[in-house]
């Protein structure tokens, strides 16, 4: 996710990044410019077109197109924001379950604390990889009940880790380390983890309907390709930059919507899940192990841990 200062106006205008739509659309804009130039030349010179301007048609269609694009961008942003709220809830739930386990367990029980510190962090990193279609096992750690080899064979790694966490909670209950009331409390925490995973999967696996997406692309294409016919008699050769600018604005809105409607990817505007995962890992270990045993790892290697 790109971090920026919203109070600065002029610097972002001249800056370009890999997801900047101008960089992506520049070749297409050149093609549209050449097409418009050819149509304009033929209309003004070969055909000597002097018909009355038809910009009213495109003005009317532009109003309709603008309303459709607003709906498109709003629906995409709603998906992005819902994903952000879910990961914010994951941060809070991870801290909450760590705090409760820390309160329920005696300080002398070190092994269960280490297990939960590793497993909660594993769950978060596994969810991040699951939403990106590939779990990075190097970000995970072995626990007493689950090895990396077993996790690598799982089809749904977050579910396997959640099952392991719940199994450990049941074991603590049977060993009389936690009471029945405490078991119920922790049961609700595990359920909240599963609810977050299901909600994230719903966003990822339910894109904008195909027919709607295709309609938008066709509408923008037809509108842009017919613009020279309506603008030539009014703007002459100024039609070329006007059409290129309109094409850039309309397609940019569609590209931005396509990028943010799946907030769990690795695009520049997607959620900073690496940063949030590392934050959860730090917080959980600090709560359960009474000290920060994490190495201040460089970005890209958040799984490095010092020996306790």
């Amino acid at each position: 996710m790109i971090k920026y200062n919203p109070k600065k106006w002029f610097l972002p205008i001249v800056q370009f990044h890999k997801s900047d739509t101008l960089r992506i659309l520049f070749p297409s804009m050149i093609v549209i410019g050449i097409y418009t130039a050819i149509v304009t030349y033929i209309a003004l010179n070969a055909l000597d077109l002097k018909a009355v301007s038809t910009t009213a048609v495109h003005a009317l269609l532009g109003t309709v197109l603008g309303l459709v694009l607003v709906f498109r961008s709003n629906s995409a942003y709603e998906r992005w924001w819902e994903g952000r709220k879910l990961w914010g809830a994951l941060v809070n739930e991870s801290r909450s379950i760590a705090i409760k386990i820390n309160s329920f367990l005696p300080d002398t029980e070190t092994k269960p604390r280490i297990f939960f510190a590793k497993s909660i962090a594993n769950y978060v990193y596994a969810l991040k990889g699951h939403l990106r279609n590939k779990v990075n096992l190097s970000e995970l750690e072995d626990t007493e009940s689950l090895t990396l080899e077993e996790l690598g064979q799982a089809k749904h790694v977050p579910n396997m880790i959640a099952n392991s966490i719940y199994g450990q909670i049941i074991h603590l209950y049977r060993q009389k380390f936690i009471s029945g009331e405490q078991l119920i409390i922790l049961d609700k925490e595990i359920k909240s983890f599963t609810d977050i995973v299901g909600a994230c999967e719903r966003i990822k696996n339910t894109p904008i309907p195909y027919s709607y997406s295709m309609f938008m692309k066709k509408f923008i294409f037809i509108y842009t390709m017919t613009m020279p016919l309506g603008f030539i008699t009014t703007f002459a050769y100024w039609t070329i930059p006007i059409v290129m600018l309109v094409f850039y604005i309309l397609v940019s809105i569609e590209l931005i919507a396509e990028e943010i409607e799946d907030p769990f990817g690795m695009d520049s505007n997607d959620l900073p899940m690496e940063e949030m995962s590392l934050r959860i890992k730090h917080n959980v270990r600090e709560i359960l192990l009474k000290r920060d045993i994490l190495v201040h790892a460089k970005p890209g290697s958040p799984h490095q841990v010092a020996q306790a």
Side-chain angles (χ1 to χ4, degrees):
M1 184 176 180
I2 300 174
K3 294 184 178 181
Y4 67 99
N5 185 354
K7 296 182 180 180
K8 292 183 178 180
W9 279 72
F10 296 103
L11 187 59
I13 294 176
V14 298
Q15 284 183 335
F16 293 92
H17 51 84
K18 64 180 182 179
S19 66
D20 194 286
T21 53
L22 181 59
R23 184 193 301 273
I24 298 172
L25 294 176
F26 188 74
S28 300
M29 291 173 63
I30 296 299
V31 174
I32 291 294
I34 294 173
Y35 161 78
T36 306
I38 293 173
V39 173
T40 303
Y41 177 82
I42 294 174
L44 295 180
N45 296 279
L47 300 179
D48 194 22
L49 186 63
K50 298 184 182 299
V52 178
S53 173
T54 58
T55 55
V57 176
H58 284 83
L60 178 61
L61 292 177
T63 302
V64 177
L65 181 58
L67 294 174
V68 176
L69 284 175
V70 167
F71 175 78
R72 174 75 171 95
S73 59
N74 284 346
S75 62
Y77 181 76
E78 285 177 4
R79 292 165 59 90
W80 186 92
W81 183 241
E82 185 179 359
R84 179 62 184 89
K85 290 194 294 184
L86 289 171
W87 268 78
L90 182 62
V91 173
N92 294 338
E93 293 295 342
S94 300
R95 294 168 178 167
S96 177
I97 191 173
I99 291 172
K100 290 173 182 176
I101 290 173
N102 178 63
S103 300
F104 296 160
L105 288 178
D107 292 339
T108 56
E109 292 301 315
T110 305
K111 285 187 177 181
R113 290 174 177 275
I114 294 176
F115 170 83
F116 284 112
K118 289 182 177 181
S119 296
I120 295 173
N122 283 353
Y123 188 84
V124 175
Y125 278 106
L127 175 58
K128 174 175 70 71
H130 176 70
L131 295 174
R132 293 177 175 175
N133 300 320
K134 184 175 178 59
V135 177
N136 185 1
L137 294 179
S138 64
E139 295 178 333
L140 310 182
E141 296 179 89
D142 284 314
T143 62
E144 290 183 359
S145 58
L146 273 180
T147 64
L148 294 182
E149 183 179 355
E150 291 173 324
L151 290 175
Q153 296 174 353
K155 293 183 178 179
H156 198 293
V157 180
N159 276 352
M160 179 169 282
I161 297 174
N163 183 62
S164 174
I165 294 174
Y166 196 74
Q168 181 67 16
I169 291 174
I170 296 298
H171 174 74
L172 293 175
Y173 170 70
R174 291 172 178 171
Q175 295 296 319
K176 307 300 182 181
F177 286 113
I178 61 175
S179 65
E181 291 81 3
Q182 292 170 340
L183 173 62
I184 294 174
I185 293 173
L186 294 176
D187 176 79
K188 293 180 180 179
E189 299 291 341
I190 301 301
K191 181 180 181 300
S192 66
F193 273 8
T194 305
D195 290 341
I196 291 172
V197 172
C200 289
E201 289 176 337
R202 171 174 51 80
I203 295 174
K204 177 177 176 56
N205 299 327
T206 313
I208 297 297
Y210 177 79
S211 58
Y212 183 83
S213 178
M214 286 301 100
F215 172 77
M216 283 296 307
K217 290 177 172 61
K218 291 176 181 178
F219 195 173
I220 292 174
F221 176 78
I222 294 173
Y223 182 84
T224 305
M225 299 303 286
T226 57
M227 275 190 68
L229 301 178
F231 282 63
I232 288 173
T233 55
T234 302
F235 298 104
Y237 284 100
W238 282 103
T239 303
I240 300 171
I242 292 174
V243 172
M244 292 175 66
L245 178 62
V246 172
F247 171 82
Y248 167 70
I249 294 173
L250 296 180
V251 180
S252 291
I253 295 174
E254 174 66 14
L255 286 179
I256 293 171
E258 288 178 353
E259 181 176 334
I260 67 174
E261 70 182 4
D262 180 11
F264 308 120
M266 301 181 67
D267 295 325
S268 299
N269 292 308
D270 288 333
L271 297 177
M273 295 195 293
E274 289 86 357
E275 178 184 332
M276 288 188 282
S277 299
L278 182 58
R279 185 187 313 151
I280 292 172
K281 189 172 186 178
H282 275 275
N283 294 159
V284 169
R285 289 178 181 272
E286 187 175 17
I287 293 168
L288 288 171
L289 303 179
K290 308 296 184 181
R291 62 190 183 277
D292 187 4
I293 66 171
L294 288 174
V295 172
H296 295 289
K298 296 180 180 179
S301 58
H303 59 282
Q304 296 180 4
V305 182
Q307 295 297 326

